[in-house]
Amino acid sequence: MRQVLAPSAVGSLKAEHGPGAIVVPDQLVDRTSGRVQTYYDAGGAVHVSFADPYCPTGRAVAVSAARSGGWDIVDGGTLVVIEGPRFSTRAESQWFARNGWTIVGMTGFPEAVLARELALCYTSLSLVTDHDAGVEAGEGVTHEEVLRFFATNVTKMRSLVADAVEALPKERTCACGSALDGIKLPFDLP
């Protein structure tokens, strides 16, 4: 298999998607800095298509598995990835929400683009652990709150990942596997 399922903890930027929801995003926005974003930084430029960063087959399988597992599922949405390790300010969170973005997290980029550079399928399984700082009144999210919520859901998340892995097709028919077609690589991939 050349498919990646990537569970992560995220904050919701929408009041209607509360803790316990699983978001399977179809888009992402990179708000990080300083992270290596390519395997091909020597030997010539390699430009891969990234308009749709997530595998449509993996997404469909993950959504189906989450529904079958009784999760509150959000099919689609935009994950904004921030640098961290700090959480968003209230102003940042409100700005992200005004842009129409769905969830915010610290993982998922550059992982998604690096997977694409290797012609791997990549699917994000984003567990909402909190409402981000600007969505609700109050003190904002804390490290302890996120860890506590994720810990109470880790067994259920493992079951979701196992169910999705079991349901993934053995042969890929998505475009992910042909992401490098026609591109001259500076080295051979295994």
Side-chain angles (χ1 to χ4, degrees):
M1 283 195 186
R2 297 185 56 83
Q3 301 165 343
V4 178
L5 296 176
S8 65
V10 297
S12 177
L13 296 168
K14 298 191 176 288
E16 64 269 25
H17 306 318
I22 288 285
V23 179
V24 183
D26 57 356
Q27 284 295 314
L28 71 77
V29 172
D30 172 29
R31 296 292 305 151
T32 66
S33 63
R35 296 181 181 186
V36 176
Q37 300 182 29
T38 184
Y39 292 115
Y40 308 114
D41 54 0
V46 173
H47 301 289
V48 296
S49 176
F50 201 57
D52 296 303
Y54 301 111
C55 176
T57 303
R59 287 190 66 261
V61 166
V63 166
S64 177
R67 280 195 179 116
S68 294
W71 289 91
D72 173 14
I73 183 73
V74 180
D75 181 0
T78 301
L79 165 62
V80 56
V81 182
I82 62 172
E83 188 63 33
R86 71 167 176 84
F87 293 115
S88 303
T89 66
R90 198 171 306 281
E92 289 167 332
S93 180
Q94 292 167 352
W95 177 57
F96 299 157
R98 276 194 310 273
N99 278 300
W101 303 335
T102 313
I103 51 178
V104 58
M106 298 173 201
T107 58
F109 190 87
E111 296 89 335
V113 75
L114 293 173
R116 180 63 52 86
E117 283 195 338
L118 297 176
L120 299 173
C121 297
Y122 190 90
T123 304
S124 177
L125 302 169
S126 301
L127 173 63
V128 174
T129 59
D130 58 90
H131 280 104
D132 207 49
V135 176
E136 290 186 335
E139 296 301 313
V141 64
T142 68
H143 180 79
E144 293 77 21
E145 176 186 2
V146 170
L147 292 180
R148 184 174 44 254
F149 190 85
F150 200 83
T152 61
N153 285 278
V154 74
T155 300
K156 190 175 176 186
M157 178 61 93
R158 284 182 182 145
S159 293
L160 171 57
V161 171
D163 292 346
V165 166
E166 184 66 31
L168 285 169
K170 303 304 177 213
E171 299 295 324
R172 295 189 300 166
T173 58
C174 59
C176 303
S178 59
L180 300 172
D181 288 1
I183 299 175
K184 181 172 175 20
L185 300 179
F187 54 84
D188 292 330
L189 294 177

